[in-house]
């Protein structure tokens, strides 16, 4: 919905965008971001925070998510709207200083402390944390880190990539941006205008949903038939017929049937989350991942899932050895976001849905586990068209802020996530990124590890993004459910090496 008065325009948030606002609590912050490591050019003087403020100021004209803030509807009856705003860069770009010579462990711990802090809804919903005090690189060049926070109501993974393209450069010398920013006028529409536009938008959304009902019914029928077909066959029996060599196992996976519908086993991750976070990172060489992809004739996303599967299996086996809950007998299930964006669409909003993939963690034999996961991934891809048809990006929101907000708080207080059967155990998200080095305010970015969201019932999030010659992984977990997330990060590196050895045997 667009509400206008003179030259001022406000756009009401879509249903999907606003859900991230309504679900937010102190236990479930709904912002995403990343931990970046930068190397400053030799001879560079001054504080990086000051340079970054100047740089961001020059890019605001081409970075709409950084210069808008929320306008609530009267009585919080429906989704809020965006209005233009001028960010206070002294507040939005803040500096932290670690003890001199700090490294990755100190960085990860700081992100774990910063991530639960909610963004101020009276301001544009973002904040950049510059982190000084790091040990220099091997060539003694000065290093600095940046932890970014962007509310998920404003961007999804692909929109965040588009924003990064506006802020980052391909050379140390920042490019000129010749777009003039429109001045933000501090003007808000009156209650009658807001209510009139709100009711008009609600009617339009109801009409859109009614038109979508026939297509959704067909999609549901297709998914049900595919799901029942997958459940009817015995996946294990089919997999035993597969040959052991990796190449043949990969080819045979396309003949196996693994249905992704059904409940997931209960794990320590299926818990109500607290206000604490544990964060870990790992960088996987992109060259090795591509070699594995070629050897198995698989997609890069399939290879990522294979690495996660083996690493999770390792983590649970180690937990069992320490007297904690061990590996479930049934496969863990990953909730996997999928983009609904059309090619070239860089709109700063959310256009994504969620699907499920079984990870095959219950299978000790690596050939069977890889084939199982390939089959599960193929089944998921068959349902993607139906999922895109079913998932509305916008829907009526009258009363939704009250309803969702109250339900979320009640679910947290009653620990509902530990009472209902889980449908997934972990979120695994793969966001494509650039295959070349980038620069920010003249500093070269060395790594780009995502920092994402955990929610009640899904206390672990693994998000990966390709950057330059690496696949940078960010693992965010509830500090109570999984305080040793660094163990899982190390297991991902070990699993990649094991898969490479197995595939080359």
């Amino acid at each position: 919905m667009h509400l206008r008065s003179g030259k001022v325009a406000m756009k009401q948030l879509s249903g999907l965008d606003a859900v991230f606002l309504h679900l937010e609590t102190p236990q479930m912050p709904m912002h995403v971001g990343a931990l970046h490591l930068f190397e400053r050019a030799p001879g560079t003087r001054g504080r990086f925070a000051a340079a970054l403020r100047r740089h961001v100021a020059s890019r605001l004209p081409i970075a709409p998510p950084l210069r808008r803030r929320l306008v609530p509807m009267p009585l919080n009856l429906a989704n809020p709207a965006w209005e233009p705003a001028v960010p206070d860069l002294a507040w939005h770009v803040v500096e932290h200083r670690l003890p001199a010579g700090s490294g990755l462990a100190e960085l990860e711990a700081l992100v774990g402390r910063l991530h639960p802090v909610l963004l101020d809804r009276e301001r544009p919903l973002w904040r950049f944390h510059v982190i000084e005090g790091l040990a220099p690189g091997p060539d003694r060049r000065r290093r600095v880190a940046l932890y970014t926070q962007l509310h998920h109501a404003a961007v999804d993974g692909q929109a965040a990539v588009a924003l990064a393209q506006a802020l980052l450069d391909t050379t140390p010398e920042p490019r000129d941006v010749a777009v003039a920013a429109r001045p933000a006028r501090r003007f808000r529409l009156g209650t009658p205008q807001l209510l009139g536009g709100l009711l008009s938008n609600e009617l339009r959304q109801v009409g859109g949903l009614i038109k979508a009902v026939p297509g959704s019914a067909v999609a549901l029928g297709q998914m049900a038939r595919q799901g029942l077909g997958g459940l009817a066959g015995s996946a294990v029996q089919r997999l035993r017929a597969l040959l052991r060599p990796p190449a043949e196992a990969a080819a045979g996976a396309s003949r196996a049937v693994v249905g992704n519908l059904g409940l997931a086993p209960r794990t320590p991750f299926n818990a109500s989350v607290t206000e604490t976070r544990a964060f870990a990172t790992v960088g996987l060489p992109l060259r090795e991942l591509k070699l594995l992809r070629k050897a198995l004739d698989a997609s890069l996303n399939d290879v990522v899932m294979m690495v996660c599967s083996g690493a999770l299996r390792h983590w649970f086996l180690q937990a069992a050895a320490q007297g904690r809950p061990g590996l479930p007998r049934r496969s863990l299930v990953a909730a996997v976001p999928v983009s609904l964006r059309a090619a070239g669409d860089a709109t700063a909003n959310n256009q994504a849905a969620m699907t499920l993939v079984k990870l095959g963690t219950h299978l000790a034999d690596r050939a069977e586990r890889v084939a199982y996961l390939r089959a599960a991934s193929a089944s998921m891809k068959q349902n993607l068209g139906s999922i895109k048809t079913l998932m509305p990006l916008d829907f009526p929101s009258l009363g939704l802020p009250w309803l969702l907000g109250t339900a979320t708080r009640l679910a947290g207080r009653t620990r509902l996530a530990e009472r209902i059967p889980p449908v997934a155990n972990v979120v695994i998200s793969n966001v494509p990124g650039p295959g070349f080095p980038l620069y920010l305010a003249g500093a070269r970015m060395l790594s780009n590890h995502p920092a994402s969201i955990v929610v009640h019932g899904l206390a672990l999030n693994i998000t990966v993004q390709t950057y330059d010659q690496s696949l940078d992984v960010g693992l965010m977990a509830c500090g109570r459910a999984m305080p040793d997330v660094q163990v899982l990060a190390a297991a991902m590196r070990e699993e990649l090496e094991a898969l490479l050895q197995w595939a080359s045997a």
Side-chain angles (χ1 to χ4, degrees):
M1 171 181 80
H2 284 85
L3 303 173
R4 295 183 180 273
S5 177
K7 296 182 179 180
V8 177
M10 293 192 295
K11 181 180 180 181
Q12 189 180 15
L13 275 70
S14 72
L16 184 57
D17 289 345
V19 161
F20 292 102
L21 292 174
H22 306 329
L23 294 180
E24 187 168 62
T25 66
Q27 295 76 35
M28 294 199 312
M30 288 290 159
H31 50 254
V32 294
L35 174 62
H36 313 265
L37 184 63
F38 288 93
E39 185 176 75
R40 303 197 71 182
T44 303
R45 295 184 179 182
R47 307 177 80 86
F48 186 68
L52 182 57
R53 290 188 187 106
R54 292 191 297 269
H55 180 81
V56 172
S58 71
R59 299 298 168 89
L60 286 177
I62 59 172
L66 303 187
R67 48 184 175 85
R68 62 187 186 184
R69 64 179 175 188
L70 294 171
V71 180
M73 290 294 110
L75 301 178
N76 200 26
L77 282 174
N79 294 341
W82 294 116
E83 72 167 358
V86 177
D88 177 4
L89 296 182
W91 185 89
H92 284 279
V93 180
V94 61
E95 184 179 274
H96 306 265
R97 182 165 292 275
L98 292 171
S102 293
L104 184 59
E106 291 82 4
L107 272 178
E108 293 173 343
L110 179 59
V111 172
R113 294 192 298 271
L114 292 174
H115 196 73
V117 180
L118 300 178
L119 292 168
D120 184 354
R121 294 198 182 183
E122 295 295 320
R123 301 173 183 268
L125 291 179
W126 63 277
R127 207 171 196 197
F128 293 170
H129 301 264
V130 175
I131 304 169
E132 298 279 6
L134 302 181
D139 53 3
R140 306 304 298 172
R141 290 189 179 183
R142 179 184 166 192
R143 291 189 170 184
V144 61
L146 178 67
Y147 164 60
T148 58
Q149 290 176 293
L150 297 160
H151 205 286
H152 214 323
V155 294
D156 61 8
Q158 291 296 321
V161 170
L163 176 61
Q165 291 174 349
L167 294 175
L168 297 167
D169 296 293
T170 57
T171 65
E173 185 66 28
R175 67 189 188 277
D176 291 329
V177 176
V179 181
R182 295 180 179 178
R185 296 171 56 188
R186 294 185 174 275
F187 180 87
R188 292 190 177 183
L189 301 179
T191 298
Q193 293 167 305
L194 288 173
L195 288 176
L198 171 61
L199 292 176
S200 174
N201 195 47
E202 294 291 308
L203 291 174
R204 180 185 60 79
Q205 291 167 330
V206 170
L209 287 180
I210 291 174
K211 292 179 181 179
V213 167
S216 297
V218 172
L220 278 172
Q222 292 174 345
M223 290 183 67
R225 288 192 295 272
Q226 292 172 0
L228 290 173
L231 293 173
S234 171
V236 173
Q237 290 179 356
R238 294 169 189 248
L239 290 169
R240 286 177 178 171
L242 298 175
L243 298 175
R244 297 294 181 178
E248 296 183 34
S254 62
R255 298 191 296 272
V257 177
V258 178
N260 292 305
L261 297 182
L263 297 177
R266 183 163 293 282
T267 71
F269 308 150
N270 301 113
S272 299
V273 296
T274 67
E275 297 177 23
T276 63
R277 293 293 180 268
F279 181 67
T281 63
V282 61
L284 303 177
L286 201 53
R287 177 180 175 276
E288 295 181 6
L289 290 163
K290 290 180 177 178
L291 287 174
L292 188 57
R293 179 184 66 181
K294 184 176 181 180
L296 299 179
D297 190 25
S299 69
L300 182 61
N301 191 66
D302 287 343
V303 172
V304 169
M305 302 294 275
M306 293 172 193
V307 171
C308 291
S309 173
L312 284 164
R313 180 179 169 85
H314 172 87
W315 185 88
F316 274 101
L317 291 174
Q318 181 170 316
Q322 299 171 351
R324 295 182 289 163
L327 184 69
R329 294 183 178 180
R330 291 185 289 127
S331 172
L332 295 182
V333 179
V336 180
V338 292
S339 177
L340 305 181
R341 288 179 179 273
D345 184 353
T347 308
N349 64 356
N350 285 273
Q351 298 184 46
M354 194 74 75
T355 186
L356 300 174
V357 177
K358 291 184 177 178
L359 296 174
T361 49
H362 60 305
L363 298 170
D365 184 271
R366 183 167 275 109
E368 289 190 356
R369 189 164 68 248
V370 167
Y372 184 101
L373 204 153
R374 288 287 307 278
S377 178
S379 296
M380 180 270 288
K381 292 171 184 175
Q382 287 178 353
N383 284 327
L384 274 182
S386 299
I387 291 171
K388 292 181 178 181
T389 301
L390 284 171
M391 184 64 189
L393 299 179
D394 203 4
F395 39 82
S397 64
L398 197 62
L400 199 61
W402 289 354
L403 178 62
L404 278 183
T406 300
T408 301
R409 291 188 294 271
L410 183 62
R413 286 197 298 267
T414 60
R415 303 179 72 89
L416 182 64
E418 294 154 36
R419 301 171 183 265
I420 60 175
V423 296
N425 307 108
V426 54
V427 176
I428 301 178
S429 181
N430 185 354
V431 181
F436 44 84
L438 293 170
Y439 299 81
L440 179 67
R444 176 170 175 163
M445 187 164 74
L446 303 177
S447 61
N448 176 28
H449 297 282
S452 198
I453 293 171
V454 296
V455 298
H456 295 315
L458 288 170
L460 172 64
N461 182 301
I462 303 173
T463 300
V464 308
Q465 184 167 4
T466 50
Y467 172 64
D468 198 5
Q469 303 303 311
S470 176
L471 184 80
D472 289 344
V473 186
L475 301 94
M476 186 67 69
C478 168
R480 181 178 66 184
M482 194 183 194
D484 58 342
V485 69
Q486 284 80 10
V487 174
L488 181 60
M492 291 186 69
R493 189 188 303 275
E494 294 170 4
E495 180 62 19
L496 175 58
E497 294 174 358
L499 280 167
L500 283 167
Q501 292 178 2
W502 166 76
S504 61

